[in-house]
Amino acid sequence: MSLRWRQLKESDFVYYFFRDPVAYVSFAILLVLVISAFGAPLFAPHDPYDQTTIDIMDSELPPAWKDEGTAKFLLGTDDMGRDMFSTMLYGMRISIIIGLGAVALQAFIGIIIGLLSGYIKRFDTILMRIADVQLSFSTYMIAIFIGATCQMMFGVANYEKIAAPLLILIIGLAEWPQYARTVRASVLAERKKEYVEAARVIGLSKIRIMWRHILPNTLSPVLVISTVQVANAIMSEAALSFLGLGMPQSKPSLGSLITAGFEYIFSGTWWITIFPGILLVLLILVINLLGDWVRDYLNPKLYKG
Amino acid sequence: MKKGIESMKTDVLVSIRNLVKYFDISGGWLEQLRFTGGRISRQEVIVKAVNDISFDILKGETVAVVGESGCGKSTLARTVMSLYPPNSGEIYYQDKRIDQLSEKQLKYYRTRMQMIFQDPYASLNPRMTVEDILSEPIHFHHPSMTREQVKEKIIKVMKQVGIDPDWQDRFPHEFSGGQRQRISIARALTLDPDFIVADEPIAALDVSIQAQILNLLMDLQQENDLTYLFISHDLSVVEHISNKVAVMYLGSLCEFGETEHLFSNPNHPYTQALLSAIPKLGQRFSHTRLPGDVPTPINLPPGCVFHTRCPYAREICFRQVPQLIKEDGKTAVACHGAAEGWLK
Amino acid sequence: MFAFTVRRIAQGLIVMVVISFIGFAIKHNFGDPVRELVGERVTPVERAQIRQQLGLNDPFLMQYGRFLNDALHGDLGRSYFFKKPVTEVIMSKAPATLELVFCASLIVIFLSIPLGIYSAIHPKNIWSRIIMSGSILGVSMPVFLTAILLIYIFSVELGWLPSFGRGETVKLFGFWNSGMLTKDGLLHLIMPSIALSSIMLPLFIRLIRSEMMEVLESEYVKYAWAKGIKAKRVWYVHAFKNTLLPVITVGGVQLGIMVAFTILTETVFQWQGMGSMFIQSVERADTALMVSYIVVVGFIFVVVNTIVDIIYGLVNPTVRVTGRK
Amino acid sequence: MSTLLSISRLNVDFALRKSTLRAINDVSLTIEEGERLGVVGESGAGKSVLGFSIIQLISKPGFIASGEIQFQGKNLASCTYEEMRSIRGNQISMIFQDPMMTLNPVLTIGSQMRETLQAHRQISTAEADRICIEKLKKVYIPSSEKRLKQFPHEFSGGMRQRIVIAISLLTDPSLIIADEPTTALDVTIQAEILDLMLELCESDNMGLMLITHDLAVVSQVTQRIAVMYAGTIVELGSTALITRDPQHPYTVGLLGALPQRAARSKRLNQIPGVMPGLAKIPPGCPFSNRCSLVEAICRSTRPALETKQSGIQVACHMVK
């Protein structure tokens, strides 16, 4: 244990990480954001889901430093009278959960399909054609289509009830080709290498070679795209919510908060949109910055399928 | 079969008979479309990597396969190792036919035949420690062996190839190219094989390291009673290490025979050109120029594959594929000129 | 090259068939053509009759074949909401979207290439750092948020630019409503085009930069330096020509994707194009219109991709001569 | 004969994140006009860096720390960018290792040849084409006129290397630096290319710096050899003398390791260990940790390159 710890401490990864201010500052901000999102019930001064504590008379109050603001609501309130700060924390939690869930699903589908089509020629053509079509269609588009279809299937009311798992499913189904292509390309590159032939000469089975030899060597590019994909999934969720295909106003994500505020922006009530907007951009930005850093550090050739 | 090849003897370890290996690289049917002469046609693109090759490898000897890049020598090695199924022809290991066996039936032969690869950087899995790399074959083929026995075996092979057994937990990237090649050799030795295919084992190494690895291979052959199929493009290395040489050109065997005899008395015009091109220390060149370039293995020339570049080619060479014929009892040559006596 | 082109077009056709099949499957399962045709106030008996007449009880594949045949003749069904043939509705909305995409593409192409090249040639320069920081911020900004911010700053706070609609338009060739010929129309185009290009532009800059930096490391660029060639020629001829190849492939696809982003932009700016029409058709459960949008957008993507592939083939001598990618 | 290139006390450093490493350590050598010099060493010995430092194209993060490179009355180490550009590809041409990678895949052979001429001379396109065709003929490329319109992928590896050689001849340079020009080629092609280079150097009285790991190749083409080890020259002298009777223990070992020199099927003479990386070069003689003749002085004092009894310059305390 202590040996592992020391190895980690002495590794290049840690060394370069602490040498790069962009990397550790981004990481620190991300850490704060994630902790405050998941600790929302502890940190938030108000509970936006508890109808009894919300007073419609408090609606559209500006931030505390404005003349009409009150200290009770630091960043003001939204159109329903919910405390912006608390609602944003809860909203960020939903955004992050959906983002991570969707990426887990994409990665699961994508890695399996990528491995299969990279190693078994028969699957390859058809699976990659599907992935190509889906990618050339843009993942947003697919997500919007699936979302629209789901909404028609379930009806608006039912859709809103199961919005969170449904969004994970929609974004996951829309974006798996990214993973599949990355994994496939790196499987194709790895399986040409002689260590795979060496494993075959030993007589190991295909499944074992795939699992023990090829998969571990495709993980660097997977890790690199994972960070970017989390950012993309959060963005997709926000876009879907903005179009009314995402989280309902009663349980808003950052995206649906921005949507709700958009109607009021012309009347000068900017804070309902701008604050969640800044938080959303900050969240995505730090993830992207970390993703860039990880990519530069690992520097895998992100194989262009 | 053919007169040129010795009939099977008991001391034949591996025998290759009329081996043919083609690769279809035409892709899907849309990729096969061609537009020629005003009409659309479908065309398969087939690389004829190995064409009808036969020779025997006797127990304890080193047979080298030489040829320029793209001549099919590596494909031959991999087909012999059952990494590729041959399109036709047979491979025998101690008189047992092994080219049509399933992976399960092959399991025993996998312990008898092992392989060493060219690129010391690609041939070791970068995510496995030396111990993992060396123990994997043992665990797979001898699951009943205890942890201690496996450990003992690993230490033994590591010592044999000259790697400090204390370095078992290290990863491949912590070793130099020469050391990695030693580990790669150690992996081949863990199963105590009789027969090792070495595919350009020293091509990627520096001169002083090449000598170390060649010496190691020769030592191991003595200690472990090994038989080698040694693939190389470096003729001076081949001359040094092998008992017999097979010269390949464009997927075909040009000449096969005892090293000393073949080097001092090459019969095939291609062998002659190849030998004359070896840079020799302190001598000016006197090489035979070959006109033109090597044709692609996709469109093999008819007749003798070498006729497009052969300075002696005659009419028969354009039509008829020459057979491998043993002329003087020592080397077998596939050349009409040599067979009919008009070459020289 | 000919065979290559044939291949690309054939692949495009296959994709179109798949898209139309998916589109039809959605329509078949969720749409109600009877309602689209005659509305809700019809007795069940009449309803069943109409169903029979329309062939809605036929096997799925037969109906699909009919759908395909109709689509090939330009008939994609009737919109329930607009009470008009879908083709007509889409034709009236398409110019708005296409003009928007066109302007945004111009912004992307004319800004990304110089900025990308500059930051690749001088990676450590302060301007390159600013470009790169700006582009990562741009990549992290959702399109609709950029649009909202633009409206807030330039319409609400400063009052310089109009915040919604297309403004004054001129009818061209009898069907094309163009906003690009009047001052008002152009003013209305500014913010939506910027918003639409806001995510593509940084992506393109990053793409061009990384591809170009890779090319600058290549052996042949080093050889060009060793030949004593002037820096400008090395950068703009040797390096940039090779950068173009991957950028064309990825870039073409991305320009197609821009059509998808019009949905978001058009919604924010209440731009009367195909994107906002699509979202409205989803809200109104106007299945025929929605499915037609999918098919039309799919068609645009396929056409763009095919053209891009063919251009790639023309630019790349390896493909041009051998016909293999 | 007068001196064409004279390198004196050249040091090249690589600036890494944590430290600076010396890749070329105190190297001095000369090339006379029309002379062919071979630079031999294993990978990492610094021979390529030496070649690139002459034309000031060391890959980042390498830079010339000190020393002079005198070429036709100019010190290349202190030339301005523009001065250097007008020398590269003009008076000094370079031939790279892998002909598959050195030619730009999207430009025709003609435009890649023409641009070289036009970068250094004020000439018309027609005149440039005439010179290009003339040089292509010189390297035995048939139907040269047609070739100018073709792209690199339409040529085989050997043909491409001929084209690269033709490009290097365009401006009639007085020095060609060839960095492993035949390593990526097959033996038969290698022999042809070397033969061609030798012929051209002799007919045009060009200087050649042939950088390679292959002693046999060097011995066939060059008049003098510089043997490099870990960033320094350990032995420098006439090719005939060194191949016949090498002095430095490293050269002795290297020649002994060649299968050509050994009896068939007998063990080769091997040098134990590996060449140290730049960060791990021992103090004193860089070869001391692998040398069989090593004594105390070798571990403490760096030997200088001196002319010994044999007439060869050797950097070794033990050689008289």
Side-chain angles (χ1 to χ4, degrees):
Chain A
M1 181 64 210
S2 67
L3 180 80
R4 290 266 158 210
W5 181 241
R6 217 179 57 228
Q7 275 178 348
L8 182 71
K9 251 170 78 174
E10 285 166 5
S11 69
D12 285 355
F13 186 85
V14 174
Y15 175 83
Y16 287 122
F17 183 78
F18 284 107
R19 290 264 313 229
D20 189 344
V22 176
Y24 62 75
V25 170
S26 303
F27 185 72
I29 295 176
L30 183 64
L31 212 60
V32 170
L33 290 181
V34 170
I35 290 173
S36 50
F38 283 93
L42 298 174
F43 302 125
H46 303 268
D47 182 356
Y49 297 159
D50 186 355
Q51 295 293 332
T52 55
T53 62
I54 298 170
D55 186 350
I56 195 73
M57 295 308 286
D58 289 336
S59 70
E60 294 183 55
L61 286 176
W65 60 87
K66 289 271 183 185
D67 293 343
E68 300 138 63
T70 67
K72 193 179 161 199
F73 303 111
L74 182 63
L75 298 178
T77 59
D78 70 357
D79 55 313
M80 291 187 226
R82 292 181 293 201
D83 174 40
M84 278 310 296
F85 180 64
S86 315
T87 321
M88 275 161 58
L89 286 188
Y90 278 87
M92 184 162 66
R93 186 171 71 172
I94 291 175
S95 292
I96 293 175
I97 288 174
I98 291 175
L100 290 177
V103 168
L105 183 65
Q106 298 166 27
F108 180 73
I109 303 174
I111 290 174
I112 288 179
I113 289 182
L115 273 180
L116 282 179
S117 61
Y119 208 77
I120 302 169
K121 220 179 167 185
R122 245 177 312 145
F123 290 120
D124 190 38
T125 329
I126 183 145
L127 287 175
M128 281 307 115
R129 274 292 91 78
I130 296 173
D132 279 351
V133 173
Q134 221 169 308
L135 272 186
S136 67
F137 239 104
S138 113
T139 49
Y140 269 88
M141 204 75 183
I142 302 283
I144 292 170
F145 288 162
I146 305 178
T149 315
C150 287
Q151 204 181 52
M152 244 189 291
M153 208 151 62
F154 296 114
V156 178
N158 286 328
Y159 183 91
E160 290 193 343
K161 269 186 219 147
I162 48 167
L166 212 51
L167 281 169
I168 291 177
L169 193 71
I170 290 169
I171 299 168
L173 286 179
E175 300 229 4
W176 65 265
Q178 295 282 14
Y179 274 93
R181 279 175 62 144
T182 309
V183 171
R184 169 181 174 267
S186 73
V187 168
L188 287 182
E190 289 299 322
R191 63 176 282 192
K192 277 196 209 119
K193 294 196 180 158
E194 288 168 342
Y195 71 84
V196 175
E197 286 185 320
R200 288 186 58 205
V201 167
I202 292 169
L204 303 181
S205 67
K206 270 190 174 179
I207 293 178
R208 189 170 163 140
I209 292 175
M210 215 145 71
W211 189 252
R212 240 180 94 70
H213 288 267
I214 295 181
L215 183 63
N217 284 296
T218 59
L219 288 183
S220 303
V222 165
L223 183 66
V224 170
I225 66 165
S226 291
T227 45
V228 179
Q229 286 302 98
V230 171
N232 279 349
I234 292 175
M235 271 228 251
S236 297
E237 186 279 326
L240 284 172
S241 293
F242 181 76
L243 292 174
L245 295 170
M247 295 305 292
Q249 288 305 323
S250 55
K251 244 185 149 188
S253 68
L254 289 177
S256 19
L257 273 173
I258 296 170
T259 323
F262 179 48
E263 293 171 34
Y264 298 90
I265 202 164
F266 294 99
S267 55
T269 315
W270 50 270
W271 56 91
I272 312 182
T273 304
I274 303 297
F275 286 137
I278 291 173
L279 189 61
L280 181 67
V281 172
L282 186 68
L283 179 65
I284 297 171
L285 182 67
V286 292
I287 297 175
N288 275 336
L289 284 170
L290 277 176
D292 269 12
W293 183 82
V294 171
R295 190 195 57 209
D296 289 346
Y297 172 75
L298 293 174
N299 195 20
K301 272 236 160 293
L302 275 182
Y303 312 97
K304 292 158 215 145
Chain B
M1 206 151 305
K2 277 168 210 136
K3 333 176 223 168
I5 293 154
E6 285 168 274
S7 57
M8 294 237 190
K9 285 194 226 139
T10 40
D11 55 353
V12 172
L13 186 70
V14 173
S15 174
I16 298 162
R17 288 274 162 267
N18 306 92
L19 200 68
V20 174
K21 179 64 200 166
Y22 292 167
F23 294 100
D24 187 346
I25 56 158
S26 39
W29 63 272
L30 271 175
E31 299 282 317
Q32 297 176 2
L33 287 181
R34 288 288 174 283
F35 185 70
T36 38
R39 64 178 62 171
I40 300 170
S41 59
R42 259 182 73 189
Q43 215 175 59
E44 287 186 327
V45 185
I46 289 175
V47 175
K48 294 171 178 157
V50 172
N51 289 304
D52 194 19
I53 286 189
S54 311
F55 60 84
D56 291 337
I57 300 163
L58 304 187
K59 209 163 175 13
E61 71 179 4
T62 300
V63 174
V65 179
V66 285
E68 298 179 276
S69 53
C71 72
K73 53 190 194 298
S74 279
T75 307
L76 176 70
R78 283 167 170 71
T79 316
V80 169
M81 284 307 298
S82 301
L83 287 174
Y84 301 143
N87 290 55
S88 71
E90 301 113 55
I91 300 160
Y92 296 90
Y93 176 84
Q94 286 182 334
D95 293 348
K96 306 264 187 345
R97 189 166 173 189
I98 58 165
D99 57 273
Q100 289 180 320
L101 300 183
S102 70
E103 202 51 53
K104 221 178 203 159
Q105 292 165 314
L106 264 175
K107 198 170 171 186
Y108 165 71
Y109 297 98
R110 295 284 188 210
T111 65
R112 304 290 84 220
M113 307 164 76
Q114 274 297 317
M115 188 158 175
I116 304 167
F117 297 89
Q118 172 174 8
D119 183 352
Y121 293 88
S123 62
L124 302 175
N125 188 338
R127 308 247 164 198
M128 287 166 90
T129 61
V130 174
E131 188 191 355
D132 293 337
I133 290 170
L134 296 181
S135 62
E136 190 174 37
I138 308 176
H139 283 307
F140 183 73
H141 285 282
H142 310 289
S144 58
M145 268 171 87
T146 63
R147 209 169 265 277
E148 283 68 39
Q149 285 172 310
V150 174
K151 195 121 206 162
E152 223 169 89
K153 179 78 199 169
I154 291 174
I155 290 172
K156 197 182 144 219
V157 284
M158 284 181 83
K159 276 188 183 149
Q160 217 179 358
V161 299
I163 297 278
D164 188 342
D166 291 343
W167 293 348
Q168 278 182 48
D169 335 316
R170 299 200 182 185
F171 285 94
H173 66 84
E174 296 172 74
F175 294 90
S176 71
Q179 287 171 315
R180 283 165 184 243
Q181 205 58 319
R182 287 171 193 266
I183 296 167
S184 184
I185 294 169
R187 172 178 56 196
L189 292 177
T190 50
L191 295 169
D192 298 314
D194 307 318
F195 177 63
I196 287 186
V197 173
D199 181 19
E200 304 253 16
I202 58 166
L205 304 173
D206 270 318
V207 187
S208 68
I209 312 299
Q210 285 189 350
Q212 295 174 0
I213 299 296
L214 277 181
N215 282 343
L216 174 64
L217 286 173
M218 288 191 285
D219 293 347
L220 290 171
Q221 182 164 37
Q222 300 234 303
E223 289 163 29
N224 293 22
D225 203 13
L226 292 169
T227 305
Y228 288 134
L229 179 65
F230 191 91
I231 312 290
S232 179
H233 68 275
D234 190 333
L235 287 143
S236 45
V237 168
V238 163
E239 183 179 12
H240 184 76
I241 196 174
S242 65
N243 306 96
K244 287 193 185 138
V245 182
V247 182
M248 276 182 80
Y249 179 80
L250 212 57
S252 301
L253 197 55
C254 303
E255 193 160 359
F256 180 77
E258 280 169 26
T259 309
E260 220 160 325
H261 191 260
L262 188 140
F263 271 75
S264 58
N265 187 19
N267 281 309
H268 196 284
Y270 177 65
T271 318
Q272 291 169 356
L274 204 58
L275 289 180
S276 75
I278 311 177
K280 298 215 177 58
L281 211 55
Q283 291 171 16
R284 277 206 112 166
F285 315 93
S286 52
H287 74 275
T288 322
R289 263 176 205 267
L290 290 177
D293 283 314
V294 184
T296 69
I298 296 167
N299 299 312
L300 285 183
C304 173
V305 286
F306 187 58
H307 81 246
T308 56
R309 303 179 72 197
C310 182
Y312 313 105
R314 289 188 184 180
E315 201 268 329
I316 185 173
C317 308
F318 296 78
R319 288 186 287 107
Q320 207 176 321
V321 179
Q323 299 296 319
L324 198 66
I325 292 169
K326 188 167 263 185
E327 198 191 30
D328 50 7
K330 281 184 177 144
T331 55
V333 189
C335 175
H336 294 301
E340 297 173 7
W342 46 262
L343 189 77
K344 291 275 158 120
Chain C
M1 187 63 214
F2 174 82
F4 176 80
T5 312
V6 170
R7 249 176 270 149
R8 297 294 133 184
I9 291 174
Q11 277 171 5
L13 285 178
I14 295 171
V15 173
M16 267 325 290
V17 170
V18 173
I19 292 170
S20 66
F21 188 80
I22 294 169
F24 178 72
I26 295 174
K27 190 173 169 176
H28 185 77
N29 285 315
F30 303 112
D32 183 354
V34 182
R35 189 193 67 158
E36 281 158 23
L37 210 63
V38 293
E40 314 254 342
R41 277 161 294 168
V42 185
T43 64
V45 184
E46 281 174 292
R47 204 170 257 272
Q49 246 171 5
I50 299 170
R51 281 189 75 83
Q52 190 62 40
Q53 274 169 11
L54 288 173
L56 292 178
N57 298 330
D58 291 347
F60 179 79
L61 279 178
M62 206 165 139
Q63 292 191 48
Y64 171 63
R66 204 153 45 220
F67 169 80
L68 213 56
N69 188 37
D70 288 347
L72 286 177
H73 291 94
D75 177 10
L76 289 165
R78 282 180 75 85
S79 160
Y80 159 69
F81 178 80
F82 289 96
K83 305 272 185 278
K84 271 197 283 189
V86 162
T87 333
E88 231 171 83
V89 179
I90 289 182
M91 284 297 276
S92 70
K93 303 275 185 187
T97 300
L98 293 179
E99 282 182 359
L100 182 57
V101 171
F102 176 73
C103 291
S105 310
L106 286 186
I107 297 177
V108 171
I109 292 169
F110 284 105
L111 282 180
S112 66
I113 292 177
L115 293 179
I117 292 180
Y118 182 85
S119 57
I121 295 174
H122 312 285
K124 298 218 163 128
N125 182 300
I126 177 79
W127 288 108
S128 301
R129 283 166 198 262
I130 291 173
I131 294 170
M132 291 321 290
S133 320
S135 70
I136 194 154
L137 188 66
V139 168
S140 308
M141 289 265 272
V143 172
F144 63 92
L145 191 64
T146 317
I148 291 173
L149 285 181
L150 285 173
I151 290 181
Y152 180 67
I153 296 169
F154 293 103
S155 303
V156 179
E157 288 292 316
L158 300 171
W160 291 353
L161 291 168
S163 66
F164 65 90
R166 293 186 71 196
E168 198 181 322
T169 57
V170 179
K171 203 160 213 149
L172 290 177
F173 319 117
F175 71 96
W176 188 284
N177 268 318
S178 174
M180 295 176 75
L181 297 172
T182 61
K183 193 181 163 218
D184 188 48
L186 286 173
L187 279 179
H188 278 83
L189 254 173
I190 295 174
M191 286 204 301
S193 317
I194 294 175
L196 185 53
S197 63
S198 69
I199 206 141
M200 288 297 158
L201 181 61
L203 276 178
F204 265 64
I205 293 175
R206 285 160 65 93
L207 175 71
I208 292 174
R209 175 178 182 266
S210 66
E211 292 291 344
M212 180 116 171
M213 285 177 83
E214 212 178 302
V215 173
L216 284 174
E217 291 291 307
S218 71
E219 253 337 68
Y220 54 79
V221 167
K222 201 168 183 190
Y223 183 59
W225 292 122
K227 288 196 296 184
I229 312 262
K230 294 200 172 76
K232 283 202 171 116
R233 186 170 165 91
V234 177
W235 289 330
Y236 303 133
V237 177
H238 281 266
F240 184 61
K241 249 192 158 170
N242 283 284
T243 307
L244 262 184
L245 289 177
V247 170
I248 286 176
T249 341
V250 184
V253 175
Q254 301 279 358
L255 283 180
I257 288 173
M258 208 132 102
V259 177
F261 281 103
T262 58
I263 297 178
L264 292 164
T265 318
E266 290 184 4
T267 308
V268 178
F269 290 101
Q270 297 172 40
W271 191 263
Q272 289 307 310
M274 294 197 298
S276 56
M277 173 203 84
F278 170 69
I279 283 300
Q280 283 156 11
S281 72
V282 170
E283 282 161 10
R284 293 169 188 145
D286 195 343
T287 328
L289 195 56
M290 188 186 135
V291 167
S292 308
Y293 177 79
I294 298 178
V295 173
V296 168
V297 169
F299 181 69
I300 294 175
F301 283 163
V302 169
V303 169
V304 169
N305 278 348
T306 310
I307 292 175
V308 163
D309 263 348
I310 293 169
I311 293 176
Y312 180 89
L314 284 174
V315 176
N316 188 347
T318 324
V319 178
R320 193 162 66 211
V321 177
T322 62
R324 290 180 78 89
K325 208 168 177 176
Chain D
M1 239 199 259
S2 62
T3 302
L4 176 67
L5 176 83
S6 150
I7 299 174
S8 53
R9 317 217 65 155
L10 182 71
N11 287 302
V12 174
D13 285 0
F14 276 75
L16 302 183
R17 277 178 222 240
K18 294 183 198 173
S19 59
T20 305
L21 298 176
R22 184 139 288 187
I24 300 278
N25 195 339
D26 198 23
V27 162
S28 303
L29 58 80
T30 58
I31 298 179
E32 305 294 315
E33 260 173 34
E35 189 192 29
R36 299 182 300 278
L37 173 84
V39 178
V40 190
E42 297 178 84
S43 52
K47 53 191 194 305
S48 284
V49 178
L50 179 63
F52 280 107
S53 65
I54 295 170
I55 56 165
Q56 308 280 300
L57 278 181
I58 315 168
S59 357
K60 295 233 163 89
F63 62 96
I64 293 180
S66 67
E68 274 187 24
I69 303 169
Q70 288 291 340
F71 176 79
Q72 295 186 334
K74 270 195 200 118
N75 180 9
L76 301 186
S78 58
C79 270
T80 63
Y81 175 82
E82 190 54 33
E83 279 172 336
M84 200 58 232
R85 188 194 66 73
S86 69
I87 291 172
R88 278 183 210 140
N90 195 4
Q91 282 102 309
I92 303 178
S93 290
M94 190 125 188
I95 297 170
F96 283 34
Q97 173 173 357
D98 189 349
M100 302 313 237
M101 314 285 280
T102 32
L103 293 172
N104 193 324
V106 301
L107 300 178
T108 59
I109 299 303
S111 79
Q112 295 190 56
M113 294 187 82
R114 233 175 280 129
E115 65 177 7
T116 316
L117 273 170
Q118 286 173 337
H120 301 294
R121 309 239 194 296
Q122 294 286 347
I123 55 171
S124 68
T125 308
E127 175 64 8
D129 278 353
R130 195 191 57 74
I131 300 177
C132 295
I133 291 165
E134 179 198 319
K135 300 297 179 188
L136 284 177
K137 285 195 176 128
K138 224 170 167 177
V139 297
Y140 305 107
I141 289 195
S143 51
S144 331
E145 292 84 355
K146 206 179 71 194
R147 299 298 193 178
L148 289 182
K149 291 197 187 69
Q150 291 184 312
F151 288 95
H153 70 267
E154 298 171 66
F155 295 87
S156 68
M159 291 274 259
R160 288 195 207 187
Q161 199 63 310
R162 280 163 194 275
I163 291 168
V164 171
I165 293 174
I167 293 177
S168 68
L169 296 176
L170 283 171
T171 51
D172 301 311
S174 42
L175 176 65
I176 291 185
I177 301 170
D179 186 8
E180 304 262 11
T182 57
T183 308
L185 303 171
D186 277 319
V187 238
T188 52
I189 315 283
Q190 160 171 304
E192 282 173 25
I193 295 287
L194 290 174
D195 209 4
L196 176 69
M197 285 174 60
L198 188 59
E199 179 193 319
L200 293 168
C201 284
E202 281 181 337
S203 65
D204 296 9
N205 195 37
M206 273 185 302
L208 174 70
M209 181 166 176
L210 179 66
I211 298 166
T212 178
H213 67 278
D214 193 330
L215 273 160
V217 163
V218 161
S219 76
Q220 288 187 309
V221 179
T222 64
Q223 294 146 331
R224 283 198 305 144
I225 297 185
V227 182
M228 287 192 75
Y229 184 83
T232 55
I233 293 181
V234 293
E235 186 157 5
L236 176 65
S238 129
T239 306
L241 277 179
I242 290 181
T243 45
R244 204 177 323 124
D245 187 17
Q247 299 293 312
H248 195 282
Y250 174 66
T251 322
V252 175
L254 212 54
L255 280 164
L258 290 180
Q260 289 182 1
R261 281 267 167 128
R264 255 179 49 75
S265 313
K266 292 286 170 318
R267 295 186 100 248
L268 299 163
N269 285 321
Q270 62 181 56
I271 311 172
V274 287
M275 191 171 73
L278 294 181
K280 290 177 187 150
I281 297 173
C285 175
F287 190 60
S288 56
N289 57 351
R290 295 173 77 189
C291 186
S292 54
L293 308 173
V294 67
E295 285 186 13
I297 185 172
C298 303
R299 301 200 194 275
S300 59
T301 318
R302 196 181 185 96
L305 195 64
E306 293 165 347
T307 310
K308 307 280 172 164
Q309 284 166 5
S310 53
I312 303 172
Q313 284 178 281
V314 187
C316 179
H317 296 298
M318 297 299 122
V319 175
K320 291 286 161 303

